[in-house]
């Protein structure tokens, strides 16, 4: 990040001192090599000496420049990095105290005077605590200079500052050196696009009254006043008929990006809204409504959409933010902007997914200061509540506290049960678009569950689970897929570090491999529950006879795997059968509603997937499974049905020949 820019800038400064490092011809001009200084201080994991540059003016020019800490690299795939140890808030505090840096505790960050600004006069009491350090990750942000980076970056800057006997370090050195040519061109193009869209869009005050009413009707914001839209800087982009939501910087209120919201009418009459951001959402994060916050504001409402944020502010007068990615994510880099608020109310939407996201985000923000608004018929999303004429101030006031997570009142428990009964489809989870039969049995993909998946070797377990993960990822579900069997990048130490992470704490266990497996399964079970994350484990089965079906008891290891799992999936394969119907997917355990069953699963060699492409209006045939019927009887029934269809006269026939002529026949066999 900016640390690499700092070193590039430092290399350029050498040109003014007569020490011009000469680079090898195969390295780009910004690449420098370095050595790694071992650490002696357990708190400072990357302790190093004062910077030393080697210069040989009268003898020869150095081939590389040696600097004092980690290797800089542009291509992270080509260099192996050493795994970092787990960082705790105690380590951060101990390090800051060792460097005599004052700080005080915040809700999710530590507040410290910024080392990127000149301190005030001694004794003036004007220390600017604008440097925020994340308690969990160590990532930092200076709100005044917008310098950000990792914990290691901050350590490097502090060491440089102290070794040079300085009281601050200039942010110009860190941010002034340009990126690579490709990055610089991409950033400039994005900013030009932002300015083009913003300058071409029109404020609502410049539109005709008829146009304003049509736009408000199209985006269902009829209750929002023109004054509110002007207050938040919302505009309309006529070329694509989009609402334009600006992202202004919190420091100088300059335009840093825009979000475009478009509306489209489907054939069934539904209105579908699509979002697009410039620059791309992964390169910049912002809070909609940030410039409207005053220094003395102590309460804020977090929403998942920009229209919801405006509705809350208009109806209640409270400060309100909209998260850049809605309920999908709360970027850690935005936490410093929420530190000033003593109370944070999360009103992310009106569905169960928003409710689950609210509970997760409240842990990041600090449970003690967070309140949640439970979705329901009388408490929809803010924009809908405003359209229905509901009292938004009363809804916000009736929000429930997020803490304590271990104490649940009977009222909250009753509302939880009622919410699940009312929102059955949402509670069931995300539906697979490629596997409707799996939806019929499992009902959906739910957070906080552990799924165990087994099947014979070479039957297609990895292929099937990869397709399931791709299905969910395409629907916006954050998906992490990992395998120790498929090697995508040779980074051996990272794999070893991952293995060591899961093996830690097993020194006191017996050498029994089943005990080790039980320990690992227990760790995954705890992670899924505590992190509200769905974990799927592929476990090989025991060796069984080729003519026997796998059962839940066939899973390798003890019974702990199937006991801890919420769902157990078995990929059945008849190795002695070569005709269609040799594979089937069996759901042998379903803790959600108890439904179990089996359905055929065929591999499509054309698309290399298990999901058959749907042609026209054809639908997958549902298979009703009786517990007393085995898969052999199911396969025999399917083969019998296929034979009966084959005996019927064909409606279409293709003749292959030199001319490749095609003709059709009617029911009586006459050519047409």
């Amino acid at each position: 990040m900016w640390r690499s820019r700092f070193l590039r800038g430092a290399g350029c400064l050498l040109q003014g001192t007569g020490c011009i490092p000469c680079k090898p011809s195969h390295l780009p001009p910004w690449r420098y090599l370095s050595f790694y200084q071992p650490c002696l201080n357990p708190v400072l994991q990357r302790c190093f000496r004062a910077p030393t540059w080697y210069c040989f003016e009268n003898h020869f020019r150095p081939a590389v420049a040696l600097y004092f800490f980690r290797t800089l690299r542009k291509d992270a795939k080509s260099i192996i990095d050493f795994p970092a140890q787990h960082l705790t808030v105690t380590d951060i505090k101990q390090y800051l105290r060792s460097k005599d840096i004052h700080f005080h505790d915040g809700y999710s960050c530590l507040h410290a005077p910024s080392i990127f600004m000149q301190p005030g006069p001694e004794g003036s009491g004007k220390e600017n605590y604008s440097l925020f350090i994340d308690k969990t990750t160590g990532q930092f942000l200076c709100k005044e200079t917008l310098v950000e980076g990792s914990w290691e970056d901050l350590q490097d800057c502090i060491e440089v500052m102290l070794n040079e006997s300085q009281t601050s370090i200039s942010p110009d050195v860190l941010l002034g050196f340009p990126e690579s040519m490709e990055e610089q061109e991409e950033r400039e193009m994005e900013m030009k696009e932002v300015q083009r869209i913003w300058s071409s869009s029109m404020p609502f005050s410049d539109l005709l009254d008829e146009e304003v009413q049509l736009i408000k009707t199209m985006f269902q914001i009829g209750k929002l006043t023109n004054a509110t839209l002007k207050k938040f800087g919302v505009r309309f982009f006529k070329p694509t008929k989009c609402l334009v939501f600006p992202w202004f910087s919190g420091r100088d209120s300059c335009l840093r990006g825009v979000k475009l919201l478009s509306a489209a009418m489907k054939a069934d009459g539904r209105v579908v809204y699509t979002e697009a951001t410039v620059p791309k959402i992964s390169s910049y994060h912002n809070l909609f409504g940030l410039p409207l916050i005053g220094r003395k504001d102590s309460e804020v409402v977090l929403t998942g959409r920009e229209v919801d944020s405006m509705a809350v502010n208009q109806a209640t007068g409270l400060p309100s933010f909209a998260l850049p990615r809605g309920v999908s994510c709360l970027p850690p880099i935005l936490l410093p902007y929420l530190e000033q608020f003593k109370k944070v109310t999360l009103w992310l939407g009106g569905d169960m997914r928003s409710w689950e996201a609210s509970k997760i985000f409240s842990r990041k923000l600090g449970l003690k200061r967070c309140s949640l608004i439970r979705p329901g018929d009388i408490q929809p999303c803010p924009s809908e509540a405003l359209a229905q004429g509901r009292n938004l101030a009363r809804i916000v006031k009736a929000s429930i506290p997020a803490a304590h997570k271990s104490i649940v009142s009977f009222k909250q428990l009753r509302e939880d049960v009622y919410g699940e009964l009312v929102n059955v489809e949402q509670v069931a989870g995300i539906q697979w678009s490629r596997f409707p039969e799996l939806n019929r049995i499992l009902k959906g993909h739910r957070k906080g569950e552990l799924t165990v998946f087994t099947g014979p070797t070479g039957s297609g377990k990895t292929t099937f689970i990869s397709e399931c993960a791709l299905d969910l990822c395409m629907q916006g579900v954050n998906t992490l897929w990992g395998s120790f069997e498929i090697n995508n990048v040779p980074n051996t130490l990272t794999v070893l570090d991952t293995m060591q992470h899961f093996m830690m704490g097993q020194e006191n266990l017996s050498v029994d491999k089943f005990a080790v497996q039980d320990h690992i399964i227990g760790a995954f079970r705890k992670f899924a529950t505590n992190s509200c994350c769905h974990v799927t484990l592929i476990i090989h089965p025991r060796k069984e006879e080729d003519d026997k079906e796998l059962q839940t008891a066939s899973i390798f290891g003890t019974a702990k795997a199937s006991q801890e799992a919420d769902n157990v999936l078995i990929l059945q394969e008849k190795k002695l059968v070569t005709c269609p119907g040799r594979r089937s997917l069996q759901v042998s355990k379903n803790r959600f509603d108890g439904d179990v069953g089996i359905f055929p699963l065929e591999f499509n060699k054309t698309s290399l997937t298990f999901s058959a492409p749907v042609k026209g209006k054809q639908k997958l045939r549902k298979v009703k499974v009786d517990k007393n019927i085995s898969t052999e009887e199911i396969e025999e029934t399917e083969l019998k049905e296929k034979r009966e269809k084959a005996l019927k006269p064909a409606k279409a026939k293709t003749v292959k020949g030199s001319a490749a002529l095609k003709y059709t026949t009617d029911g009586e066999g006459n050519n047409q």
Side-chain angles (χ1 to χ4, degrees):
M1 212 170 171
W2 61 261
R3 180 183 59 202
S4 59
R5 303 176 191 170
F6 166 70
L7 289 185
R8 299 175 214 164
C12 289
L13 292 177
L14 292 176
Q15 298 178 3
T17 61
C19 179
I20 306 175
C22 178
K23 66 178 183 64
S25 58
H26 66 279
L27 290 178
W30 40 259
R31 177 71 64 84
Y32 295 96
L33 302 181
S34 67
F35 66 90
Y36 183 82
Q37 178 68 30
C39 63
L40 300 177
N41 188 340
V43 177
L44 177 57
Q45 298 297 335
R46 289 174 171 83
C47 182
F48 41 78
R49 300 174 182 174
T52 303
W53 290 89
Y54 295 90
C55 181
F56 308 90
E57 298 181 3
N58 300 324
H59 301 280
F60 58 90
R61 297 165 68 104
V64 295
L66 298 181
Y67 205 60
F68 54 90
F69 59 85
R70 292 172 305 282
T71 303
L72 295 178
R73 58 191 182 279
K74 188 65 180 176
D75 184 8
K77 296 181 180 179
S78 61
I79 300 177
I80 297 178
D81 198 3
F82 290 93
Q85 296 184 4
H86 180 64
L87 182 68
T88 65
V89 66
T90 304
D91 297 333
I92 299 175
K93 291 180 178 180
Q94 188 175 354
Y95 175 77
L96 294 177
R97 292 192 184 102
S98 67
K99 302 303 177 182
D100 198 23
I101 297 178
H102 300 286
F103 65 89
H104 60 78
D105 256 317
Y107 296 101
S108 56
C109 300
L110 298 178
H111 305 187
S114 177
I115 64 173
F116 306 101
M117 300 176 58
Q118 287 291 342
E122 188 174 355
S124 62
K126 295 184 178 179
E127 284 186 311
N128 189 357
Y129 283 79
S130 60
L131 184 65
F132 295 85
I133 308 171
D134 192 293
K135 293 182 179 180
T136 304
T137 63
Q139 188 175 7
F140 75 92
L141 169 69
C142 176
K143 290 176 62 176
E144 295 296 330
T145 60
L146 299 183
V147 177
E148 63 181 73
S150 65
W151 170 242
E152 290 80 8
D153 295 333
L154 182 59
Q155 286 179 305
D156 296 340
C157 287
I158 293 175
E159 294 293 332
V160 171
M161 183 185 68
L162 296 179
N163 289 331
E164 297 295 332
S165 301
Q166 300 293 329
T167 57
S168 65
I169 185 170
S170 173
D172 297 332
V173 177
L174 305 175
L175 300 178
F177 202 81
E179 307 96 334
S180 65
M181 190 64 67
E182 294 80 4
E183 293 175 342
Q184 187 176 6
E185 291 178 354
E186 182 181 3
R187 182 173 59 85
E188 291 177 353
M189 290 180 59
E190 288 180 337
M191 291 310 301
K192 288 181 180 179
E193 182 67 12
V194 169
Q195 295 297 333
R196 185 190 68 84
I197 294 174
W198 184 248
S199 60
S200 302
S201 58
M202 300 181 64
F204 276 73
S205 58
D206 295 345
L207 299 172
L208 299 176
D209 293 339
E210 294 79 5
E211 292 178 320
V212 172
Q213 293 301 323
L214 180 61
I215 294 171
K216 289 185 176 181
T217 302
M218 181 169 56
F219 290 96
Q220 300 180 3
I221 55 174
K223 292 293 184 178
L224 291 179
T225 64
N226 291 347
T228 300
L229 296 172
K230 181 180 179 181
K231 179 180 179 181
F232 282 85
V234 181
R235 295 186 178 184
F236 184 71
F237 189 55
K238 282 190 174 182
T240 56
K241 298 180 180 180
C242 297
L243 287 180
V244 181
F245 302 110
W247 283 344
F248 292 110
S249 170
R251 179 185 59 171
D252 49 12
S253 298
C254 65
L255 185 65
R256 300 291 300 274
V258 293
K259 176 184 284 190
L260 305 177
L261 180 65
S262 60
M265 180 75 72
K266 294 296 183 181
D268 56 0
R270 294 183 299 108
V271 179
V272 178
Y273 298 98
T274 306
E275 294 181 350
T277 61
V278 184
K280 55 187 178 182
I281 196 66
S282 59
S283 61
Y284 179 70
H285 300 291
N286 199 312
L287 291 168
F288 177 73
L290 184 61
L292 302 178
I293 302 300
R295 291 184 178 271
K296 295 184 179 180
D297 290 331
S298 60
E299 183 178 355
V300 70
V301 179
L302 279 185
T303 66
R305 301 187 306 162
E306 288 75 12
V307 293
D308 290 338
S309 179
M310 291 186 289
V312 170
N313 183 264
Q314 175 179 306
T316 66
L318 293 173
S320 180
F321 288 146
L323 298 178
R325 297 181 61 184
V327 300
S328 300
C329 148
L330 173 57
I333 197 63
L334 297 179
L335 296 179
Y337 296 102
L338 301 170
E339 281 291 295
Q340 75 177 76
F341 302 105
K342 296 180 180 179
K343 182 179 180 181
V344 179
T345 303
L346 289 94
W347 194 355
L348 299 182
D351 54 7
M352 293 303 296
R353 185 183 179 189
S354 303
W355 172 246
E356 294 297 331
S358 299
K359 293 188 288 187
I360 296 175
F361 294 169
S362 63
R363 300 176 190 173
K364 284 187 177 182
L365 296 168
L367 292 172
K368 293 183 179 180
R369 63 166 174 164
C370 290
S371 297
L372 314 179
I373 296 180
R374 180 186 300 277
D377 294 336
I378 61 175
Q379 295 182 166
C381 65
S383 58
E384 293 182 5
L386 182 64
Q388 297 173 7
R390 300 188 182 276
N391 192 330
L392 274 69
R394 183 178 300 174
I395 295 177
V396 173
K397 188 176 181 180
S399 59
I400 60 177
H404 184 283
K405 62 180 181 179
S406 299
I407 301 176
V408 181
S409 64
F410 179 76
K411 179 181 178 181
Q412 295 176 0
L413 185 62
R414 181 179 59 187
E415 292 178 351
D416 283 338
V417 175
Y418 177 75
E420 291 188 3
L421 294 176
V422 173
N423 305 281
V424 176
E425 294 183 356
Q426 297 179 10
V427 174
I430 306 295
Q431 303 287 300
W432 286 279
S433 60
R434 297 169 178 246
F435 303 103
E437 286 298 300
L438 191 59
N439 294 328
R440 180 180 62 84
I441 303 175
L442 275 184
K443 305 303 184 293
H445 178 85
R446 294 168 290 275
K447 295 181 179 180
E449 291 190 350
L450 175 66
T451 297
V452 171
F453 184 40
T454 190
T457 302
S459 60
K461 298 187 296 296
T462 303
T463 303
F464 175 78
I465 210 65
S466 301
E467 189 173 358
C468 285
L470 179 62
D471 188 331
L472 297 171
C473 186
M474 294 176 65
Q475 299 185 55
V477 179
N478 295 330
T479 306
L480 177 65
W481 188 92
S483 173
F484 286 103
E485 296 179 348
I486 297 179
N487 185 22
N488 55 347
V489 289
N491 196 338
T492 309
L493 290 179
T494 302
V495 177
L496 294 176
D497 177 56
T498 305
M499 296 172 62
Q500 183 181 7
H501 172 73
F502 286 110
M503 296 302 172
M504 287 180 62
Q506 299 178 9
E507 292 81 0
N508 297 328
L509 295 175
S510 64
V511 294
D512 185 8
K513 57 184 178 182
F514 298 118
V516 175
Q517 179 181 341
D518 290 350
H519 175 82
I520 295 175
I521 292 175
F524 277 115
R525 168 75 272 179
K526 183 178 179 180
F527 173 80
T529 303
N530 295 342
S531 304
C532 197
C533 171
H534 192 116
V535 177
T536 300
L537 296 178
I538 300 179
I539 303 179
H540 289 279
R542 296 191 181 96
K543 296 297 182 182
E544 300 282 0
E545 298 294 335
D546 292 341
D547 58 342
K548 291 185 179 179
E549 289 187 348
L550 297 179
Q551 302 176 355
T552 303
S554 302
I555 299 175
F556 182 83
T558 65
K560 186 177 181 63
S562 57
Q563 291 173 353
E564 294 284 359
D566 298 287
N567 313 298
V568 175
L569 306 181
I570 303 176
L571 184 57
Q572 303 284 4
E573 182 185 32
K574 297 298 179 182
K575 296 184 177 180
L576 303 180
V577 178
T578 58
C579 61
R582 60 177 297 189
R583 289 190 184 92
S584 58
L585 186 65
Q586 179 182 359
V587 180
S588 61
K589 182 179 181 180
N590 178 7
R591 186 169 285 169
F592 178 70
D593 65 355
D595 285 353
V596 295
I598 188 172
F599 60 91
L601 196 67
E602 293 295 335
F603 182 73
N604 191 329
K605 293 184 178 180
T606 304
S607 60
L608 299 179
T609 60
F610 279 104
S611 56
V614 180
K615 298 180 180 179
K617 298 184 178 179
Q618 295 180 359
K619 296 183 179 179
L620 293 177
R621 183 172 59 88
K622 295 184 178 180
V623 180
K624 296 183 179 180
V625 180
D626 191 351
K627 296 182 179 179
N628 298 324
I629 300 179
S630 62
T631 55
E632 291 89 349
E633 297 177 357
I634 295 176
E635 294 172 357
E636 291 178 0
T637 304
E638 292 177 348
L639 292 176
K640 183 178 180 181
E641 292 176 356
K642 291 181 179 180
R643 295 192 192 100
E644 293 176 355
K645 291 182 180 180
L647 295 176
K648 294 181 180 180
K651 294 184 179 180
K653 187 180 297 182
T654 302
V655 177
K656 297 181 180 180
S658 58
L661 298 176
K662 296 183 180 179
Y663 67 95
T664 59
T665 60
D666 57 15
E668 298 177 356
N670 299 321
N671 295 340
Q672 294 182 345

